[in-house]
């Protein structure tokens, strides 16, 4: 699979290549940009860390230039810069990663003091709502646009399941896409990445793929938002639980920014 190219955060006329090292726009520390097999970017701290000191779920490793979750059986692993960026909200940092964060914070201050790097004017705050389901949902989450909002699905849009309960108290097996006509379904389109505060601001305006439902009627957009199949559209059957959509933001969900459409 070909690597996707990403525009350098600070200079939209230059392209960011896999393995390229850049300063984090918000803390000034160096970041190695690498890509997962599906083409989504992971900004890595350039150094390696002893794997046993890094919590499960925070380890990454490179294999033939592609980044994968976990330590790959090695005693050393990499970590994502976003997990330790000192510009991000400290409460989002895993306690065992706090020493790394502190180290980067000290370095960041030194860069400012020596005039090596200047902090951006706008103070970034990374939302405290870092989504724990990064690890519980599939890696192939997709973005939909409906009711004027970008939403992140728990997986592929095509397999997104209805949340209504059947009379025997089981979750409806229907998908949202099943039995739809073109008037009830969206279409894939390239849209600009919406602006978000924090680290994701660097992606704002870049092209991304999204399943666009905005041409649908309001009622049909609500059906998608409420996560009901066509059979359960406007049904009074109880739902299994809350819907699985979460609001997309480029800071917490950078790894799901895709650009595969022509
Ligand atoms: Zn940073
Ligand atoms: Zn259903």
């Amino acid at each position: 699979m070909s690597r996707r190219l990403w525009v350098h955060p600070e200079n939209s006329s230059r392209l960011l290549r896999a393995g390229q090292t850049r300063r984090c726009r918000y803390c000034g520390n160096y970041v190695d940009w690498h890509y997962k097999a599906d083409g989504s970017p992971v900004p890595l701290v350039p150094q390696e860390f002893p794997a046993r000191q890094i919590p499960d779920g925070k380890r990454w490793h490179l294999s033939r230039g592609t980044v994968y979750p976990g330590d790959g059986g090695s005693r050393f692993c990499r970590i994502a810069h976003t997990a330790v960026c000192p510009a991000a909200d400290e409460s989002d940092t895993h306690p065992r990663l706090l020493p790394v964060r502190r180290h980067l914070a000290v370095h960041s201050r030194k860069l400012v003091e020596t005039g090596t790097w200047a902090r951006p004017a706008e103070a970034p705050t990374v939302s405290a709502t870092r989504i724990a389901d990064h690890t519980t949902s599939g890696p192939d989450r997709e973005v939909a646009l409906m009711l004027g909002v970008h939403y992140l699905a728990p997986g592929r849009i095509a397999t997104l399941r209805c949340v209504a309960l059947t009379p025997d108290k089981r979750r409806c097996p229907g998908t949202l896409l099943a039995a739809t006509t073109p008037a009830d379904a969206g279409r894939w389109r390239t849209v600009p990445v919406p602006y978000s505060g924090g680290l994701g601001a660097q992606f704002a305006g870049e092209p991304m793929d999204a399943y666009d439902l905005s041409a649908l009627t309001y009622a049909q957009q609500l059906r998608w938002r409420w996560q009901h199949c066509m059979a359960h559209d406007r049904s009074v059957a109880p739902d299994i639980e809350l819907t699985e959509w979460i609001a997309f933001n480029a800071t917490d969900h950078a790894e799901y920014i895709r650009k595969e459409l022509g």
Side-chain angles (χ1 to χ4, degrees), residues 162-164 172-174 228-232:
C162 177
V163 293
C172 169
H228 283 158
C229 69
M230 288 299 279
H232 282 115

Side-chain angles (χ1 to χ4, degrees), residues 23-29 31 81-82 84-88 104 108 199:
R23 286 191 190 282
C24 169
R25 177 173 174 167
Y26 298 105
C27 71
N29 287 291
V31 173
H81 179 78
T82 43
V84 289
C85 176
L104 293 181
S108 187
L199 299 169

Side-chain angles (χ1 to χ4, degrees), residues 108-132:
S108 187
R109 272 199 300 279
K110 272 190 195 146
L111 291 171
V112 172
E113 281 163 16
T114 57
T116 310
W117 171 79
R119 210 175 287 283
E122 88 267 31
T125 42
V126 175
S127 71
T129 59
R130 188 171 296 284
I131 306 302

Side-chain angles (χ1 to χ4, degrees), residues 55-115:
D56 275 354
K58 299 291 182 188
R59 301 176 196 164
W60 296 91
H61 71 280
L62 285 167
S63 177
R64 288 192 224 111
T66 300
V67 64
Y68 296 93
D71 55 31
S74 163
R75 290 193 298 121
F76 294 92
C77 68
R78 309 287 294 266
I79 54 183
H81 179 78
T82 43
V84 289
C85 176
D89 196 272
E90 186 171 325
S91 62
D92 283 344
T93 308
H94 191 288
R96 281 166 63 194
L97 295 178
L98 284 174
V100 181
R101 187 184 191 279
R102 273 183 221 118
H103 176 84
L104 293 181
V106 169
H107 193 239
S108 187
R109 272 199 300 279
K110 272 190 195 146
L111 291 171
V112 172
E113 281 163 16
T114 57

